Amino acid sequence: MTPTARLAALPDTVEVLIAGGGPVGLAAAVELGNRGIGCVVVEPRDTVSTARPRCKTLNVRTMEHLRRWGLADRLRKRAPLPVSWSQDVVFCTSLAGRELSRFTGVLGLAPDGDRFAELGQQAPQYVLEEVLREAAGELAPCRLGFGTRVVTLDQADSFVDVTVETAAGERKIIRASYVIGSDGPRSVVRDQIGAAYRGGQALRPNFGMVFSCPELWHRVRHGPAVQYWIVNRSAPALVGPLDRHGTWWAIAFGVDRRTGEREARHLIDDVAGVPVEATVLSTDPWTARMQIVDRMRDRRVFLAGDAAHLNPPFGGHGLNTGLADAVDLGWKLAAVLAGWGGPALLDSYEAERRPVQERVIDEATANMRVLSTDLLSDGLDDDDVAGAAARRTADAHIQETKKPEFHSLELVLGLRITESPVVPSGDRAEDGLAGARLPHVFLDDGRSLYDVLGPGLTLLMLGDVTGRQTIEGAARAQGVPFDCVDLTGSDVAARYAERVGAELILTRPDHVVVWSGRTSPADAPALIDAVRGCEPGSSTRRS
């Protein structure tokens, strides 16, 4: 396709323009497209590169969103490593050396009763991106503008004019109602609205690489694992398989670009613990950054993902946090554009997401305090009493300091919105669920509770209560999409009601509880107005 044809294929006007077609931007497109909102994704890359896999951990919350979009099974079929392959992280002196410590059931890869609807998944970022590209391309409201980039923004009261450009320099102006900047750390959108990162970065460099070494599996003494932390003085590193056929990723800690490119083969040998035949496929030097923007919104323009926040990769939270940004912003923009969401709904984006992003940065920074370089000690490979003692000491230290990194479901699932203009605070002692993710349960027929929730507000009924008519009537009166899931009389209802302490639960599209109680709310219209971001009694219009 010629540059002119690329631009001609893009509409002149659109409801939402998304700058950046990585996983976060594509997730926003899928969320919007599934809600019938027209969007254009502007992305310079024509194809997805497999050279740098970056994120490899998709947590259970991300997988629950993929399930909601009907994509969880599609992604799992594409993932080179099935969940059943391993749920372990191993610390060792080398792949052929001594094992120091082991964590099992890590990163949400092991079942935990009713706690979540989907297991986590280990998959390179490019696999997720390919699946989301396909899914967005299958949605009629979504247009994918690959081979184009955003150059400038010009905001007015009711629209944003976005200048996009092809690699050949041809330009076009697209008028959008809203813009999402998900264009990464070098975000043009962030610069255009005058936002800036605040925070710092680590002092030590790191050298990432992908290499091919089919024979390496024959050298591994520790069985399958999703990560191996290498603790030796020659190559303190983190390494793991991208597939079961000999493609590996590695991060050499404290190694700069020049040293890494010069010594890459030696580093691989030292990680393996024996000389091996390996081919370096790509390199990716980086330094961890702990940064968040001073503001995530300027009128009709919003920032999401790496364009808004950066954190060290330890714990696997970065991409997952960005995808959650896209979900939060996506359904809220859709509600406003559909006419039932009010101005406070968009105000709530930063109010709700910033505390989560800051918590993730703090947790990832804490995980980074103990890396392989910080676990080195003498005698770890020695085959004597002193060596055994050194390994026991290392094991105790690793278990004490690294457990939160691999068993982080409280962070993934337990974060609660405490300050938001669209989550009524009420009496927290009575409403113990408001602002929290709806506790998950599998229904009597084996389906997930999340499978039966609607695309708008959903009222979950667990007992013989009369609140449905008042809540539903208030929602319908304001044009809010509303569903009721009546579980009364089912085997699961009584147990679940006792577990959550409520018989009525009102949830919004992202599974967040906005109200719960044992009887009807005192003022249902005021509750609905608060949840949809409007002043009591006000009406809305398409924006």
Side-chain angles (χ1 to χ4, degrees):
M1 182 181 292
T2 66
T4 301
R6 286 181 189 276
L7 293 181
L10 300 180
D12 296 327
T13 62
V14 69
E15 290 177 296
V16 181
L17 185 138
I18 301 168
V24 173
L26 291 168
V30 171
E31 185 71 30
L32 290 162
N34 274 312
R35 298 178 183 281
I37 301 300
C39 59
V40 168
V41 178
V42 177
E43 166 56 47
R45 297 168 301 143
D46 281 311
T47 60
V48 177
S49 171
T50 61
R52 295 176 178 83
R54 300 292 170 88
C55 168
K56 292 162 283 290
T57 296
L58 304 181
N59 67 27
V60 297
R61 194 70 185 111
T62 290
M63 293 305 299
E64 287 178 345
H65 289 308
L66 288 167
R67 180 188 184 109
R68 183 166 55 86
W69 296 328
L71 301 176
D73 289 343
R74 187 190 300 192
L75 182 129
R76 293 196 195 279
K77 290 176 182 177
R78 300 280 189 85
L81 300 176
V83 175
S84 60
W85 183 79
S86 178
Q87 302 87 42
D88 288 4
V89 167
V90 171
F91 286 71
C92 52
T93 58
S94 69
L95 294 177
R98 297 276 190 169
E99 183 169 319
L100 303 176
S101 197
R102 180 182 292 262
F103 294 91
T104 61
V106 301
L107 304 171
L109 297 174
D112 192 4
D114 283 321
R115 194 172 185 185
F116 39 79
E118 289 281 343
L119 293 169
Q121 176 68 57
Q122 291 291 295
Q125 178 174 314
Y126 55 75
V127 173
L128 174 63
E129 192 172 332
E130 289 168 350
V131 168
L132 291 176
R133 276 194 177 206
E134 290 177 6
E138 293 163 2
L139 293 169
C142 297
R143 304 290 290 275
L144 303 179
F146 299 131
T148 61
R149 67 184 184 96
V150 169
V151 180
T152 61
L153 306 178
D154 184 15
Q155 288 203 66
D157 289 341
S158 59
F159 59 84
V160 186
D161 279 342
V162 184
T163 302
V164 300
E165 182 181 68
T166 67
E170 296 193 20
R171 294 188 172 188
K172 175 175 182 169
I173 294 176
I174 299 176
R175 178 161 292 183
S177 297
Y178 294 96
V179 172
I180 299 175
S182 55
D183 46 345
R186 298 181 180 87
S187 172
V188 172
V189 174
R190 184 181 62 245
D191 292 343
Q192 286 285 302
I193 67 172
Y197 285 134
R198 297 288 183 263
Q201 66 179 43
L203 299 177
R204 292 185 294 192
N206 302 289
F207 187 77
M209 59 179 153
V210 174
F211 63 94
S212 175
C213 185
E215 73 173 272
L216 192 51
W217 279 121
H218 302 297
R219 308 289 189 171
V220 176
R221 291 178 58 183
H222 318 293
V226 295
Q227 295 178 11
Y228 302 88
W229 288 70
I230 308 301
V231 184
N232 67 47
R233 297 191 186 280
S234 300
L238 174 58
V239 63
L242 284 174
D243 56 37
R244 291 171 286 177
H245 310 296
T247 310
W248 297 77
W249 59 269
I251 301 171
F253 299 127
V255 175
D256 59 37
R257 176 193 296 269
R258 181 176 298 179
T259 303
E261 291 177 350
R262 184 181 65 244
E263 302 291 336
R265 290 292 306 278
H266 295 300
L267 289 170
I268 294 170
D269 286 347
D270 290 337
V271 163
V274 293
V276 292
E277 290 294 325
T279 301
V280 177
L281 303 177
S282 66
T283 61
D284 186 20
W286 57 274
T287 300
R289 297 164 63 181
M290 298 75 75
Q291 298 175 337
I292 190 167
V293 290
D294 50 7
R295 57 196 176 99
M296 297 176 195
R297 178 187 183 185
D298 177 25
R299 294 167 288 167
R300 291 178 169 268
V301 180
F302 299 81
L303 300 175
D306 285 353
H309 49 87
L310 298 168
N311 60 264
F314 307 106
H317 302 300
L319 180 145
N320 296 288
T321 305
L323 191 139
D325 296 343
V327 169
D328 184 282
L329 184 54
W331 79 261
K332 290 173 179 176
L333 282 171
V336 170
L337 287 163
W340 63 269
L345 200 57
L346 297 185
D347 293 340
S348 75
Y349 170 65
E350 182 165 355
E352 294 183 4
R353 294 306 300 162
R354 181 176 287 275
V356 174
Q357 296 157 0
E358 290 175 340
R359 172 77 182 277
V360 166
I361 290 171
D362 290 345
E363 293 285 340
T365 303
N367 292 338
M368 188 174 63
R369 292 192 184 110
V370 179
L371 303 179
S372 298
T373 46
D374 306 295
L375 297 170
L376 299 172
S377 63
D378 294 331
L380 292 175
D381 261 321
D382 291 351
D383 190 16
D384 56 20
V385 174
R391 289 189 287 276
R392 286 195 299 272
T393 300
D395 180 28
H397 183 45
I398 291 166
Q399 290 293 321
E400 178 183 0
T401 58
K402 300 301 282 183
K403 182 177 180 180
E405 184 168 342
F406 309 117
H407 296 283
S408 58
L409 286 179
E410 285 303 321
L411 176 64
V412 173
L413 300 177
L415 290 176
R416 184 173 180 178
I417 298 167
T418 57
E419 298 291 337
S420 171
V422 295
V423 179
S425 56
D427 185 345
R428 294 287 183 178
E430 292 184 10
D431 189 354
L433 295 178
R437 164 184 167 271
L438 177 68
H440 180 259
V441 68
F442 287 106
L443 303 179
D444 295 340
D445 59 6
R447 288 181 298 169
S448 163
L449 173 62
Y450 296 164
D451 294 343
V452 299
L453 301 180
L457 298 186
T458 300
L459 180 66
L460 183 62
M461 297 181 60
L462 302 171
D464 185 14
V465 293
T466 58
R468 172 176 181 171
Q469 289 184 339
T470 57
I471 297 174
E472 182 172 8
R476 302 281 186 209
Q478 290 295 359
V480 179
F482 181 89
D483 287 271
C484 182
V485 175
D486 188 350
L487 298 182
T488 56
S490 66
D491 291 339
V492 75
R495 298 193 307 272
Y496 188 73
E498 183 177 1
R499 172 182 162 193
V500 300
E503 293 187 340
L504 286 171
I505 304 173
L506 185 64
T507 68
R508 65 189 202 185
D510 55 358
H511 303 158
V512 171
V513 177
V514 290
W515 175 85
S516 67
R518 294 191 178 277
T519 60
S520 180
D523 190 340
L527 170 63
I528 296 299
D529 280 335
V531 169
R532 68 192 187 95
C534 296
E535 293 292 331
S538 65
S539 61
T540 56
R541 59 181 176 82
R542 288 183 66 86
S543 176

